[in-house]
Amino acid sequence: KNEVEQSPQNLTAQEGEFITINCSYSVGISALHWLQQHPGGGIVSLFMLSSGKKKHGRLIATINIQEKHSSLHITASHPRDSAVYICAVVGGYGWNTDKLIFGTGTRLQVFP
Amino acid sequence: DADVTQTPRNRITKTGKRIMLECSQTKGHDRMYWYRQDPGLGLRLIYYSFDVKDINKGEISDGYSVSRQAQAKFSLSLESAIPNQTALYFCATSDFRGGLETQYFGPGTRLLVL
């Protein structure tokens, strides 16, 4: 069993829909990243959070440390949001971040 | 200009050849990483470096070596390439502030080993 599980693996939506991508993990962590990988392969860091909630434009990320779960929400989805969204956790080894554990990603396609 | 660059962006090589993937950054970060990404798998850490004199093996370092020539440069070498090293390779740097770390990824190098 992977230490970081994402669901769903694939997601299709119509433009304007509200999107939720989930990430569950089984290890102690100090932080969690949400990354976006574009069809061309480039990876962009969207959020890093260790508690609560962060918002950037139409993107919202939440984390529940007790439940070992994080969600990424996209409001008013748009075709340009089509990408692979990757959850990665930072192993909770004090300040040593030598282990980033990645989920396998959620492929999102938003149709006009 | 991009903060983290990788060269080459695409490479086709033959089994047994030695190749080097290069990564440069202008962010002034001490920490640099090399990952590989395979279809259906998450990114996996190959090597990482917390400063010029600090090199550490990651999860899947066998068959790879690295060189940290300067703060801004971190190279990954495949000493004798094999087909199962066909993958997308990412370099990343990180900024460690206030106990939290943000990673900045390069554009990736797509490697095909025949």
Side-chain angles (χ1 to χ4, degrees), chain B residues 41-61:
Chain B
L41 298 177
L43 284 93
R44 292 180 291 167
L45 181 64
I46 305 172
Y47 270 95
Y48 63 100
S49 170
F50 282 178
D51 66 40
V52 174
K53 296 180 181 179
D54 178 76
I55 303 287
N56 303 281
K57 292 183 177 180
E59 185 182 349
I60 51 163
S61 59

Side-chain angles (χ1 to χ4, degrees), chain A residues 30-31 33 35 37 40-43 45 48 50 86 95-98 100 102-104, chain B residues 31 33 35 37 40-43 45 48 50 88 90 96 99-103 105 110:
Chain A
S30 56
H33 294 257
L35 309 169
Q37 185 171 26
I43 297 176
S45 178
M48 179 181 55
S50 58
I86 301 169
W95 301 124
N96 190 341
T97 58
D98 62 335
L100 255 181
F102 292 83
T104 56
Chain B
R31 299 182 175 205
Y33 307 80
Y35 297 97
Q37 185 181 39
L41 298 177
L43 284 93
L45 181 64
Y48 63 100
F50 282 178
L88 182 57
F90 286 99
F96 193 78
L100 295 179
E101 182 176 19
T102 298
Q103 295 224 341
F105 287 84
R110 198 170 295 275

